[in-house]
Amino acid sequence: MTADHVTRRGLMQGGGALLAAAPLASQAQAQAATTASVSKGAPMTPVELTVNGREVHLQLDPRTSLLDALREHLKLTGTKKGCDHGQCGACTVIVEGRRINSCLTLAVMHDGEDVTTIEGLGTPEALHPMQKAFIVHDGYQCGYCTPGQICSAVSVLEEIKAGIPSHVTEDLDKVTFSAAEVRERMSGNICRCAAYSNIVAAIGDVAGEAEA
Amino acid sequence: MKPFTYERATSVEAAARAAASVQGARFIAGGTNLLDLMKLQIETPTHLVDVNRLGLDRIEKTEEGGLRIGALVRNTDLAADATVRRDYAVLSRALVAGASGQLRNKATTAGNLLQRTRCPYFYDTRMPCNKRKPGSGCGAMKGVSRSLAILGVSDACIAQHPSDMAVAMRLLDAQVDTVDATGARRAIPIADFHLLPGDTPHKETVLKAGEIITSVTLPGPIGGTHVYRKVRDRASYAFALVSVAAIFGKDGTARFAFGGIGAKPWRTAEGDAAAAQGAQAVAEATLAGARTTHDNDFKRPLVEKTLASLYRQQEARA
Amino acid sequence: MKFDTPAGQNPIDQGRVIGIPHDRIDGAAKVTGTAPYAYERHDAAPNAAYGWIVGSAIAKGRIAAMDLRAAEASPGVLGIVTHANAGKLTKGSMNTAHLLGGPQIEHYEQALALVVADTFENARAAAALVRIDYAPEDGKFDLAAERLNGVIPPQGFGGPADTKAGDFDGAFASAAVKLEQTYTTPDQSHAMMEPHASIAAWNGDKLTLWTSNQMIAWGVGDMAKTLGIPKENVRLVSPYIGGGFGSKLFLRADALLAALGARQVGRPVKVAIARPQIPNNTTHRPATIQRIRIGADKDGVIDAIAHEVWSGDLPGGGPETAAQQTRLLYRGDNRLTAHRLVTLNLPEGNAMRAPGEAVGLLALEVAMDELAEACGVDPVELRIRNDVQYDPEAGPQRPFSSRKLVECLRAGADRFGWSKRNPRPGQVRDGRWLVGMGMASAFRNNLTEKSGARIGVDGQGRVIVETDMTDIGTGSYTIIAQTAAEMLGVDLDQVTVRLGDSRFPVSSGSGGQWGANSSTAGVYAAAMALRAKLAEKAGYPADQAQFDDGLVRLGNQSQPLAALAGGQGLWAEDSMEYGDLDKRYAQATFGAHFCEVGVDMDTAEVRVRRMGGAFAAGRILNPKSARSQVIGAMTMGVGAALMEALDVDTRFGFFVNHDMAEYQVPVHADIPDQDVLFIEELDDKSSPMKAKGVGELGICGAGAAVANAIYNATGIRLRDYPLTLDKLLKAQAA
């Protein structure tokens, strides 16, 4: 089953191939891209990241957010820019094992750190269980908040396991999985299409499997 | 966002020195508020001193039986800390009532104290705002002001302090520990840390240029029942219209601090003293001097109603 | 193909693929982040420069002076587009305000310049250096204050401004039970997750635009018109759209300015409208004031009903047609509707999900709740009593094509446990929560639009569909693939669907909940043409050939599609056009919403506890994606009821809360499990798909059900949306 976005003229040589390829554009590509966008005037800062298991070296304008480093420099466009101000959650990625809004942090602040994006969780050929569950439960519509929802969802299960309390945790010392916990913890990921109850069902499935 | 230079500090002292030596320098920690404002050029630092890797992320007991919380402890870690959950539950509760999971993973203890207002006129650089641009006027006072402050306001500014955590810190009589470029250390009681707007709403804290928060220290635990109640339109991921942090003692005493209504985290001796007389008395004592607009006058009854709710819950527990 | 007589039995009725809750075929691309959205086409435009829009700081007036020197000297700047250097621009036929303002300024945040630089960071910083001196003029920003200056608007999508039947005044005056109330709804923002975004690239005089747009052909037309170039020279590509809800129906500033910027700097340029700019730069759903009068007998049977609506827009704009549903929803021989339009200098008002009904029902369905109470009739029963099987303005000669409102009401009530509701308000407590139940009818017009497609079979027997139809989260990819698979007798995974490219046949596009039914009907037409070609090649009579298992069959004979298509493949193209069935029959979709809320007994915070509904919208092409559309729309209805409002500063003339922190939409924690029941229905007068729209039905009435539940919980009737706790506290104190 495919939904083919590539036009007949541009057939798979162009974007399709790149986008369907490995989770990360090769290091050479990444560096070339960065060099191309070096501009006069702005002092560049070297940044080294491990993104989805691969080391990348970038020269960045220090103003570059982690989000724009991923999307514009590494061409990892799975991470989305919804608001660029920490108000929507579409840019959620996992840095050093924790989910954060990649729009509200500078790439240079993460030198030497480990970043996992949606591309690192799974590919169309090898889906992460959470990605699979989102498909089965129709946990999306337009798809734009989806990578952020999935990165958050994966982290939320870890956070519950780690006993981190939430606003709806009744006893701060007893953190257990529930739909209410999921809803509260996922509230930093807005879905205007509002697949909310489907997303909660998808996360419930994955949590259930993890327990079983 | 204006261009800036960036450096990663190697020690607290070096950070303070760096910040003091460059005009327009700022510390950056979590960045969740500072970068938001820099993108809009509400904040325009010329130099950023990254203090994320200075080892200021520990939580440790003090000799006096209190708790020293490193300035860089993330909101998530502070809320989840076993001692905080057991002895300062109101702080845990306040933290998890704020922002989102992603933001709490990044936002820091010190940064949260320095969080700036959510006033929409502050956020739109084309609008008058005495806090953002001293002398330009206040757009909010006769504009849209539903979310804004009713206590501690002035003719120049009615911006609210948006933090949840700071409300709990105020309730717990925290102290803010700092060091400056000369190496001089200060311990600032949280009650004195934030400034009221007066004629200078752009001055929000007593911190001097280059002075860096190293930790926030809590006195020994005082027991009691800890609650944090946040009232908002949407169920999560929203700033408070009114929030109340409270500790109810076994002897009928209680203490209260408020968010969403003050130019700074709000607590009064009079409010605490009225605890035994119930919600209405506490509300009246707290709200003495309140100044409302057409849009936010509902906060007056809402403070009392929220307190009433807490009292009723407390009675149910007893 | 023309659809002008009711559909008979056809291949869609097999229901082998159509009507099955298949997972979306674009699912894997979406969950892995590999579906490319407009701003992300590094593949197509690898060397794009970055544009940043400078918006007006005033609502009305003129640019007195513009100083670009500092911006031009800023690092990395490649060019700056303004009205002074953009060349002649003709306003698009779908736009009310100019997308590039200056020297005249029509609204706050109207784009006045685009700064193009080599990097995003440089463009954004340089944009802040553009200095503009303004000569402001007084504007009008207050709908309530301007209400009496309303005029009769020109006829638009929503039908005539005024409608009348019988003698409303006489019947209302003599009615046993009279209800007269005024309701208000605020300006609302679409707040789709993907900002408006485009990349433009010129090749000679030919423009390619990778953009986020619901209506490809409208976009092509208005881009060509605005730039004064032939339509053939404009190509739009929009395969994935991160939400629209009406905000992306039209050419917007991102697209035009990307094109102008790319022309000026001689390389591709990408532009996204920054989130804090969106509410004031783009369109919004206009605020309304609605007056409803209903005259009924003591049993609640309506004899007279009137719905009058006031809304505002910029000069040349249109009304919010909030009385639309009142023309068709309930019985009554004496009726009138009226829309009046006020000139306001706020940003442009336009369509947002279910324009008209979404806010019209926020008023009408609360009025019905009030009438039910006044008559002492159960709200569900009241609506059943006022059901009408024909257009009540036109009379029995114009029946509904299909109308299962009563079935929805009964089934929905049953499933929700409506019988457990205590009709006396303020009686049910659960801890600190006052609990109430409310309901409302759902109604949304069914529109059909001409739609074309091209469909082919290749040498491997793979079916390929191409149409400029868009998928804005609605599930177009999947239902189009299902349609093609059903028509040509192949499995779903044998179908490739290509959407959102102006090189493909012009479709209905996505809007007005017409997309699913209309676009699949277009694919049906093309598939019928291809079936004829395949049958002809096979040497079988077209009307007797059967298509299944990848074969064309006649009796015992069969030939594989792949062989018939040959190495060249075999293609056919057609479109579906509509006759006058929508004139002869009233066509609409129906449903019933049910909601249980809790209202905090102290703070008056409102939280939705349960929500469910039953809906009848013709054939449901894919129950999985259709259900998602409905729950998503219900959630938007919750937002409208409880929190969504653009706050107008009537001094400066702008929407103050112009970001996603301050314009609040529901989050996960606001939304409980939602139950959706589709009532079986085939509408043979809507299209050969026998489907109707369903994407907007879910918002229609949802907010009113919340409002009515709040009343049932508290005994407080609010008529000014959103129904926030400050209003509840005020009403409580009064």
Side-chain angles (χ1 to χ4, degrees):
Chain A
M1 292 182 230
T2 60
D4 192 345
H5 60 82
V6 181
T7 63
R8 280 199 287 180
R9 184 167 165 234
L11 224 48
M12 294 299 281
Q13 290 94 340
L18 177 65
L19 287 157
L24 181 62
S26 75
Q27 212 165 294
Q29 277 172 315
Q31 277 176 336
T34 305
T35 317
S37 59
V38 165
S39 76
K40 53 187 189 284
M44 292 292 139
T45 308
V47 180
E48 205 178 299
L49 301 170
T50 303
V51 182
N52 300 331
R54 293 214 212 167
E55 247 183 56
V56 295
H57 303 268
L58 296 165
Q59 289 286 331
L60 294 175
D61 182 324
R63 291 173 294 180
T64 312
S65 67
L66 178 60
L67 173 61
D68 285 328
L70 293 169
R71 279 170 66 82
E72 303 302 326
H73 296 266
L74 297 171
K75 318 252 185 284
L76 288 169
T77 53
T79 307
K80 303 304 182 192
K81 185 183 281 189
C83 71
D84 215 16
H85 286 275
Q87 303 162 356
C88 79
C91 68
T92 303
V93 298
I94 302 167
V95 176
E96 296 287 295
R98 300 181 142 204
R99 58 177 172 145
I100 65 167
N101 296 116
S102 61
C103 73
L104 282 189
T105 194
L106 298 171
V108 291
M109 292 162 66
H110 296 280
D111 188 39
E113 292 185 357
D114 198 84
V115 181
T116 302
T117 69
I118 189 71
E119 291 93 339
L121 289 180
T123 62
E125 296 73 33
L127 294 168
H128 185 280
M130 192 64 79
Q131 292 170 322
K132 222 177 270 178
F134 267 61
I135 295 176
V136 170
H137 288 279
D138 215 38
Y140 50 60
Q141 291 191 48
C142 79
Y144 200 76
C145 74
T146 310
Q149 299 276 357
I150 291 172
C151 285
S152 248
V154 168
S155 297
V156 158
L157 294 185
E158 296 294 322
E159 288 166 13
I160 291 173
K161 212 185 294 170
I164 294 168
S166 88
H167 180 58
V168 298
T169 307
E170 279 189 25
D171 178 343
L172 289 175
D173 290 326
K174 280 199 200 101
V175 180
T176 52
F177 182 91
S178 70
E181 283 283 1
V182 170
R183 288 195 174 101
E184 164 58 25
R185 289 165 192 268
M186 290 298 294
S187 284
N189 291 84
I190 291 174
C191 174
R192 184 57 158 164
C193 299
Y196 292 136
S197 32
N198 295 349
I199 292 170
V200 173
I203 297 172
D205 259 17
V206 176
E209 277 162 29
E211 263 168 41
Chain B
M1 191 183 290
K2 285 195 174 173
F4 54 82
T5 47
Y6 168 89
E7 73 171 288
R8 180 173 294 120
T10 50
S11 71
V12 174
E13 293 71 21
R17 278 197 303 276
S21 64
V22 183
Q23 181 79 27
R26 293 289 304 268
F27 301 114
I28 187 162
T32 51
N33 189 215
L34 183 60
L35 288 167
D36 173 30
L37 296 170
M38 284 169 64
K39 288 179 183 192
L40 300 166
Q41 294 204 5
I42 295 164
E43 295 272 11
T44 54
T46 57
H47 184 64
L48 284 186
V49 182
D50 184 341
V51 296
N52 274 293
R53 298 182 191 176
L54 299 181
L56 298 175
D57 53 359
R58 281 188 289 277
I59 302 173
E60 51 204 9
K61 298 256 169 71
T62 63
E63 283 173 16
E64 295 77 25
L67 200 65
R68 185 177 301 111
I69 301 158
L72 268 287
V73 172
R74 310 287 160 177
N75 287 176
T76 298
D77 297 317
L78 186 54
D81 180 80
T83 308
V84 174
R85 280 192 275 181
R86 188 185 64 230
D87 295 337
Y88 307 95
V90 67
L91 180 56
S92 269
R93 294 285 184 198
L95 281 160
V96 295
S100 67
Q102 293 95 308
L103 288 164
R104 293 192 296 268
N105 277 342
K106 207 86 187 77
T108 64
T109 307
N112 192 296
L113 291 178
L114 300 173
Q115 197 181 349
R116 306 199 67 187
T117 184
R118 284 301 315 185
C119 175
Y121 295 86
F122 173 74
Y123 260 82
D124 190 325
T125 52
R126 293 158 294 189
M127 287 292 130
C129 172
N130 288 320
K131 184 184 276 297
R132 175 170 35 74
K133 194 175 175 199
S136 62
C138 172
M141 222 167 281
K142 291 185 173 151
V144 176
S145 56
R146 181 170 179 266
S147 63
L148 301 181
I150 62 173
L151 286 164
V153 298
S154 71
D155 288 340
C157 184
I158 58 169
Q160 89 284 39
H161 195 278
S163 171
D164 292 297
M165 184 203 81
V167 176
M169 292 291 195
R170 179 72 184 85
L171 187 77
L172 293 167
D173 289 326
Q175 126 198 331
V176 183
D177 310 311
T178 71
V179 61
D180 70 12
T182 68
R185 293 179 178 274
R186 285 212 280 174
I188 308 162
I190 187 144
D192 303 333
F193 182 76
H194 295 103
L195 299 172
L196 291 179
D199 296 333
T200 55
H202 57 290
K203 291 184 183 158
E204 295 176 358
T205 70
V206 296
L207 291 180
K208 298 170 293 182
E211 187 172 10
I212 181 171
I213 300 173
T214 54
S215 57
V216 176
T217 303
L218 300 176
I222 59 164
T225 305
H226 290 220
V227 289
Y228 188 77
R229 180 69 186 281
K230 183 173 182 178
V231 181
R232 44 188 162 176
D233 294 319
R234 117 176 143 182
S236 187
Y237 202 19
F239 293 94
L241 293 169
V242 166
S243 71
V244 182
I247 299 175
F248 289 94
K250 287 211 170 76
D251 51 358
T253 62
R255 54 165 87 179
F256 305 93
F258 300 83
I261 56 171
K264 62 181 208 171
W266 205 257
R267 184 174 170 205
T268 62
E270 294 79 4
D272 290 355
Q277 297 158 57
Q280 195 183 346
V282 174
E284 268 171 29
T286 304
L287 293 171
R291 212 168 101 180
T292 58
T293 65
H294 172 267
D295 279 3
N296 68 16
D297 58 1
F298 73 94
K299 290 192 177 187
R300 242 185 236 272
L302 186 56
V303 166
E304 185 187 328
K305 302 261 183 195
T306 310
L307 283 164
S309 178
L310 295 187
Y311 269 92
R312 189 173 307 110
Q313 261 176 288
Q314 183 57 19
E315 278 157 25
R317 265 187 216 107
Chain C
M1 209 169 186
K2 191 149 188 186
F3 185 71
D4 49 10
T5 52
Q9 188 79 12
N10 71 42
I12 293 298
D13 292 318
Q14 297 170 105
R16 188 178 54 83
V17 196
I18 279 288
I20 307 298
H22 281 292
D23 295 345
R24 290 172 199 245
I25 64 170
D26 49 341
K30 283 180 174 169
V31 301
T32 55
T34 49
Y37 296 79
Y39 200 79
E40 302 167 354
R41 300 306 295 266
H42 296 290
D43 59 320
N47 189 32
Y50 294 80
W52 187 272
I53 295 171
V54 179
S56 171
I58 63 166
K60 188 166 186 283
R62 293 175 67 82
I63 297 173
M66 216 167 183
D67 183 352
L68 305 180
R69 284 170 301 178
E72 279 165 346
S74 188
V77 170
L78 303 170
I80 301 176
V81 177
T82 70
H83 74 280
N85 64 18
K88 182 178 185 300
L89 300 175
T90 307
K91 196 176 70 182
S93 39
M94 312 298 286
N95 297 129
T96 304
H98 293 80
L99 297 178
L100 176 61
Q104 208 65 41
I105 292 166
E106 294 158 291
H107 62 86
Y108 194 79
E109 202 77 78
Q110 184 175 26
L112 300 182
L114 180 81
V115 177
V116 182
D118 57 348
T119 68
F120 175 77
E121 292 75 23
N122 281 338
R124 182 177 57 191
L129 297 171
V130 171
R131 293 282 161 254
I132 303 174
D133 293 334
Y134 297 96
E137 293 162 18
D138 289 339
K140 300 196 184 308
F141 309 113
D142 188 341
L143 175 62
E146 295 298 319
R147 173 179 176 173
L148 296 176
N149 298 325
V151 298
I152 300 176
Q155 176 156 355
F157 251 89
D162 288 2
T163 64
K164 264 185 181 166
D167 167 23
F168 172 79
D169 288 335
F172 183 68
S174 60
V177 181
K178 291 193 194 66
L179 177 108
E180 175 171 0
Q181 287 295 352
T182 298
Y183 307 83
T184 55
T185 64
D187 297 287
Q188 295 175 348
S189 189
H190 308 84
M192 68 292 158
M193 296 306 296
E194 180 203 23
H196 303 262
S198 298
I199 306 179
W202 290 87
N203 183 2
D205 58 0
K206 293 197 166 29
L207 170 68
T208 303
L209 196 73
W210 295 269
T211 188
S212 188
N213 190 299
Q214 302 173 223
M215 299 291 296
I216 300 301
W218 289 3
V220 168
D222 267 355
M223 181 64 97
K225 183 177 178 190
T226 305
L227 295 176
I229 63 176
K231 274 192 201 176
E232 301 74 58
N233 289 4
V234 177
R235 180 178 170 210
L236 252 64
V237 186
S238 190
Y240 288 94
I241 295 139
F245 313 113
S247 68
K248 295 170 179 169
L249 289 167
F250 319 113
L251 187 74
R252 298 301 317 168
D254 58 305
L256 177 64
L257 289 169
L260 293 170
R263 193 160 71 182
Q264 187 182 113
V265 306
R267 81 189 237 202
V269 167
K270 54 200 234 173
V271 180
I273 305 182
R275 181 61 66 177
Q277 298 175 327
I278 290 176
N280 286 295
N281 176 274
T282 70
T283 62
H284 65 277
R285 190 202 300 278
T288 64
I289 299 170
Q290 304 182 44
R291 179 190 186 211
I292 292 180
R293 288 171 289 166
I294 305 178
D297 69 14
K298 61 180 180 20
D299 299 322
V301 176
I302 297 171
D303 186 39
I305 184 164
H307 194 161
E308 297 153 280
V309 180
W310 290 261
S311 64
D313 203 357
L314 287 165
E320 180 66 27
T321 54
Q324 250 177 172
Q325 70 290 322
T326 308
R327 297 178 61 195
L328 290 168
L329 187 48
Y330 298 120
R331 65 180 292 169
D333 292 338
N334 306 288
R335 45 205 309 130
L336 72 85
T337 69
H339 295 94
R340 292 295 175 268
L341 180 61
V342 162
T343 296
L344 294 178
N345 302 104
L346 289 169
E348 179 173 337
N350 216 313
M352 177 169 149
R353 199 174 203 167
E357 287 98 323
V359 291
L361 286 161
L362 287 175
L364 179 63
E365 287 303 286
V366 172
M368 288 297 282
D369 206 58
E370 301 193 55
L371 179 66
E373 191 178 42
C375 300
V377 178
D378 176 84
V380 173
E381 174 59 25
L382 179 81
R383 286 160 174 89
I384 292 171
R385 285 183 193 173
N386 285 295
D387 186 52
V388 57
Q389 290 292 317
Y390 54 83
D391 172 353
E393 279 178 11
Q397 63 273 25
R398 187 173 185 245
F400 279 94
S401 59
S402 58
R403 173 171 167 132
K404 293 199 171 172
L405 174 62
V406 171
E407 289 85 339
C408 291
L409 289 163
R410 291 212 163 105
D414 190 41
R415 240 165 118 98
F416 194 74
W418 180 252
S419 60
K420 294 193 191 75
R421 169 181 178 265
N422 186 331
R424 279 187 58 210
Q427 302 301 307
V428 183
R429 277 266 305 273
D430 176 12
R432 64 184 170 101
W433 298 98
L434 305 171
V435 179
M437 288 192 210
M439 58 79 53
S441 296
F443 172 97
R444 172 70 174 146
N445 265 319
N446 181 56
L447 302 171
T448 47
E449 296 286 325
K450 183 182 174 184
S451 194
R454 180 155 67 215
I455 184 164
V457 182
D458 70 11
Q460 280 73 52
R462 240 196 122 63
V463 173
I464 299 145
V465 187
E466 295 177 339
T467 161
D468 84 356
M469 180 59 189
T470 49
D471 190 329
I472 60 174
T474 38
S476 306
Y477 277 108
T478 309
I479 56 172
I480 284 174
Q482 287 177 266
T483 304
E486 192 77 82
M487 293 298 292
L488 293 170
V490 300
D491 289 340
L492 194 58
D493 61 7
Q494 284 296 103
V495 182
T496 297
V497 178
R498 297 176 183 143
L499 299 183
D501 190 325
S502 58
R503 294 185 169 185
F504 302 151
V506 173
S507 72
S508 63
S510 301
Q513 84 166 5
W514 64 61
N517 182 37
S518 299
S519 70
T520 53
V523 173
Y524 173 96
M528 287 305 274
L530 184 61
R531 282 166 62 114
K533 280 192 182 178
L534 287 162
E536 189 189 333
K537 261 206 146 169
Y540 306 154
D543 56 348
Q544 290 171 38
Q546 301 285 313
F547 290 76
D548 57 51
D549 284 338
L551 304 169
V552 189
R553 290 183 203 275
L554 184 73
N556 294 332
Q557 312 169 46
S558 72
Q559 298 180 52
L561 293 184
L564 292 169
Q568 303 291 311
L570 197 61
W571 287 80
E573 180 175 335
D574 199 0
S575 61
M576 186 63 73
E577 290 179 75
Y578 295 87
D580 65 351
L581 284 171
D582 63 339
K583 308 267 181 311
R584 286 155 54 199
Y585 298 90
Q587 295 191 10
T589 58
F590 296 87
H593 288 283
F594 296 85
C595 176
E596 180 182 296
V597 302
V599 181
D600 189 286
M601 58 184 287
D602 293 300
T603 64
E605 290 161 284
V606 181
R607 301 289 179 255
V608 175
R609 293 158 64 103
R610 288 196 300 136
M611 226 182 166
F615 304 90
R619 188 197 303 276
I620 300 302
L621 303 173
N622 181 328
K624 187 177 261 191
S625 54
R627 177 183 171 278
S628 292
Q629 283 280 289
V630 173
I631 65 170
M634 284 160 84
T635 301
M636 211 176 262
V638 171
L642 296 182
M643 61 189 84
E644 290 186 40
L646 287 166
D647 299 320
V648 181
D649 185 314
T650 55
R651 305 162 304 164
F652 296 106
F654 77 119
F655 299 128
V656 175
N657 51 338
H658 51 71
D659 63 25
M660 292 188 73
E662 303 296 321
Y663 183 86
Q664 296 190 352
V665 303
V667 296
H668 273 278
D670 290 299
I671 302 302
D673 283 333
Q674 293 160 312
D675 180 56
V676 175
L677 174 71
F678 289 117
I679 301 290
E680 211 163 301
E681 181 181 83
L682 297 178
D683 192 323
D684 62 356
K685 295 158 196 92
S686 171
S687 85
M689 302 304 293
K690 301 176 186 170
K692 293 190 279 194
V694 72
E696 299 184 338
L697 180 60
I699 193 176
C700 299
V706 176
N708 295 335
I710 292 172
Y711 177 74
N712 183 241
T714 62
I716 296 171
R717 183 72 74 182
L718 295 180
R719 302 181 185 89
D720 174 30
Y721 291 93
L723 314 179
T724 47
L725 61 88
D726 47 324
K727 294 173 189 171
L728 282 163
L729 291 177
K730 226 164 250 182
Q732 211 175 51

